[in-house]
Amino acid sequence: MIRKSKQILALALPLILQQLCLQMQIWIDRAMLGHINTGFFAAIGNTSVPYYMVTSIITAICGGTAILTAQKIGANQARDIERIAESSFFGSTLLSVATYLFFLFCSDDLFRLMGVQSPILEYCISYIRVLSLSLLILGPSSSALAVLQGFGLTKIIMFVGVTGNLLNILLDWLLIFGHLGLPALGIEGAAWATVISNFISAGIAIAYVFGSSHMPVRLRLSLRSIGQLSGYGQVLRLGIPSGLEYFLWNVGNFVLVSYLNRLDPMHTGIYTLVFSIETVPLLIYMGLSNAGLTLVGQQTGARSPRQARQTGLICLGFAFVICAVTAIVFYLFPKQLLSLFTDDSSTLAVSVPFLRFVSWILFPKAVNNVIGLCIRGTGDTGWMLFTQIFGTVFMIAGGYYFILAGGFGLTGIFITLLLDELLRGIANFCRFLRRTI
């Protein structure tokens, strides 16, 4: 037990540090903009819903590469990894280009569909048209990082992520405010900072995976790989259910945000403010989740289901400790945490009880994230899609009642999310126990 715990932490801690740096970068980004113009704050809240819907889908599909890599290592079939990595790189590039074109030509109609109104609408459009350039490199970068995760090379993932995040913070300071003689671009400056840092960090990841002699298996990119996209079918078989799962969750979240915008567009800003703080423990135990996916994948490839079960339960135990500590902090210091991002007294007054409320959501969400990725590590990505179909239907129907028909307003979105996470958490935990007998 102690040895396995150390193995999990050795993989998880670099991922946790990388995720925390990412969240710090997002926080600083929002804090800089929020103190300039509260409209920027609402614009980022509305933009993040469709943008992260798309990025999470691409990342989830590339997760099929991580699962296959881990399982091939566990089964001592490392020679197959080169074909998987190359086909994943080129296939995900096509996905990236398609999603970029979607935002380039459809962003105006998308935000109007969400109920966003002027002047926030104009902020959203100018922000997303720059930010979406990052999508062009997202697929190749996610494929490279998925290969590293499958091998368990999480320290390299940490280096890539931290480098990009720190560069983003520096560029935010330069381009939002116009320091060192550069133009003050405001919300567009934040978008350009993200794009530049993403391209640089992606270049580092791709160069390491396909050019470093330190990789356990030597991988190369060549034109012949374009003709081997048939190998991408294995990645899609595992990745598409995960991508659809994230898509459906984001569809539910998209609809919930549209409900809030019917009442007051600033409700969306408050919701995303609370959500961004609640994301901190999520990012920490997502490091444990990804470590669990890697180890469970390798143990599945080695035909060791009992070892896989033990790995999942240990990861969940660590996650519950993180949730408990976070809940205490949220209850004791909600105003202090929220005031880091806005000094608007009315926004703070409304947000404090909701930050305390999300403490209850942390625990079932941990089950869905940690155990959910462990289930994916076994190759059973279809089950997670099945439970998310139920979850999305519940979010749309339940959200309509609690937010609009039932008159709960902003409180209704948090009630809906709690019930959704709780019901799916029970189902996913039982499924994991059955898969690892």
Side-chain angles (χ1 to χ4, degrees):
M1 180 75 74
I2 295 177
R3 182 179 178 182
K4 187 173 290 294
S5 297
K6 290 181 178 179
Q7 185 183 20
I8 291 169
L9 292 176
L11 291 175
L13 289 177
L15 295 174
I16 290 171
L17 179 59
Q18 181 256 333
Q19 292 289 340
L20 287 176
C21 286
L22 171 62
Q23 189 60 32
M24 179 180 69
Q25 173 252 306
I26 294 173
W27 279 358
I28 292 174
D29 192 63
R30 292 192 175 192
M32 288 181 182
L33 292 172
H35 286 290
I36 293 175
N37 186 334
T38 55
F40 289 167
F41 194 80
I44 290 181
N46 279 285
T47 303
S48 65
V49 175
Y51 181 75
Y52 288 115
M53 175 191 294
V54 170
T55 57
S56 62
I57 292 169
I58 294 177
T59 304
I61 291 175
C62 292
T65 304
I67 295 170
L68 286 171
T69 301
Q71 290 184 350
K72 294 297 182 182
I73 291 171
N76 293 317
Q77 298 173 350
R79 290 184 178 180
D80 294 338
I81 295 175
E82 181 176 3
R83 176 178 54 83
I84 293 168
E86 289 179 344
S87 61
S88 177
F89 181 89
F90 287 107
S92 61
T93 299
L94 297 177
L95 288 177
S96 290
V97 173
T99 54
Y100 167 70
L101 293 175
F102 169 78
F103 277 110
L104 180 64
F105 294 110
C106 303
S107 56
D108 299 44
D109 295 331
L110 178 65
F111 290 120
R112 288 189 174 91
L113 180 64
M114 291 175 61
V116 182
Q117 302 174 0
S118 183
I120 295 174
L121 174 63
E122 288 74 24
Y123 296 150
C124 288
I125 294 172
S126 63
Y127 182 69
I128 197 65
R129 284 185 173 168
V130 176
L131 183 65
S132 59
L133 289 168
S134 290
L135 294 172
L136 293 173
I137 199 65
L138 177 64
S141 173
S142 297
S143 293
L145 294 174
V147 172
L148 291 172
Q149 182 181 338
F151 277 112
L153 300 175
T154 56
K155 290 182 180 179
I156 306 301
I157 297 175
M158 175 189 70
F159 173 78
V160 171
V162 171
T163 300
N165 299 148
L166 295 179
L167 179 60
N168 198 326
I169 292 171
L170 173 62
L171 292 173
D172 273 339
W173 180 74
L174 292 173
L175 297 176
I176 292 175
F177 301 107
H179 292 295
L180 301 182
L182 294 172
L185 300 177
I187 194 169
E188 287 190 11
W192 279 114
T194 301
V195 169
I196 295 169
S197 60
N198 283 350
F199 268 83
I200 292 175
S201 60
I204 297 172
I206 294 168
Y208 188 92
V209 169
F210 294 103
S212 174
S213 59
H214 298 292
M215 288 290 292
V217 176
R218 191 65 185 269
L219 304 176
R220 293 184 178 89
L221 281 177
S222 61
L223 292 177
R224 66 181 175 85
S225 305
I226 299 177
Q228 295 180 352
L229 283 177
S230 58
Y232 196 45
Q234 289 181 282
V235 175
L236 294 177
R237 180 177 58 82
L238 292 173
I240 285 180
S242 296
L244 288 174
E245 175 196 343
Y246 280 99
F247 173 76
L248 288 172
W249 185 90
N250 280 284
V251 165
N253 198 44
F254 180 91
V255 173
L256 293 180
V257 168
S258 71
Y259 292 160
L260 292 180
N261 280 325
R262 291 189 196 180
L263 301 176
D264 186 345
M266 287 307 297
H267 281 359
T268 302
I270 293 170
Y271 165 61
T272 54
L273 169 62
V274 173
F275 183 77
S276 67
I277 297 176
E278 182 232 358
T279 300
V280 175
L282 169 64
L283 294 177
I284 295 175
Y285 58 67
M286 278 301 291
L288 293 164
S289 303
N290 282 295
L293 182 148
T294 299
L295 292 174
V296 169
Q298 293 176 359
Q299 290 154 355
T300 299
R303 301 184 184 278
S304 301
R306 291 186 179 180
Q307 291 292 318
R309 172 184 284 201
Q310 188 179 44
T311 296
L313 294 179
I314 292 173
C315 289
L316 183 60
F318 282 133
F320 276 173
V321 172
I322 294 167
C323 291
V325 173
T326 304
I328 293 172
V329 174
F330 283 2
Y331 262 89
L332 295 179
F333 309 106
K335 189 173 182 180
Q336 291 84 343
L337 291 172
L338 292 161
S339 62
L340 295 173
F341 308 100
T342 181
D343 51 12
D344 184 79
S345 58
S346 60
T347 301
L348 289 172
V350 173
S351 302
V352 165
F354 294 122
L355 186 58
R356 286 176 171 156
F357 186 91
V358 298
S359 300
W360 297 99
I361 304 178
L362 295 176
F363 294 93
K365 182 173 280 191
V367 175
N368 287 316
N369 281 275
V370 175
I371 296 301
L373 262 69
C374 289
I375 291 174
R376 293 192 195 105
T378 68
D380 186 11
T381 56
W383 168 260
M384 298 303 298
L385 172 61
F386 172 75
T387 56
Q388 187 55 60
I389 291 172
F390 163 80
T392 299
V393 172
F394 179 83
M395 288 171 70
I396 293 173
Y400 179 82
Y401 172 75
F402 287 113
I403 297 172
L404 298 176
F408 290 90
L410 185 57
T411 305
I413 195 170
F414 295 100
I415 296 173
T416 303
L417 293 175
L418 173 61
L419 294 175
D420 167 58
E421 297 286 354
L422 183 62
L423 294 172
R424 287 190 296 113
I426 294 171
N428 289 332
F429 185 75
C430 293
R431 178 69 172 188
F432 178 68
L433 295 182
R434 292 185 61 186
R435 287 282 299 179
T436 54
I437 295 176

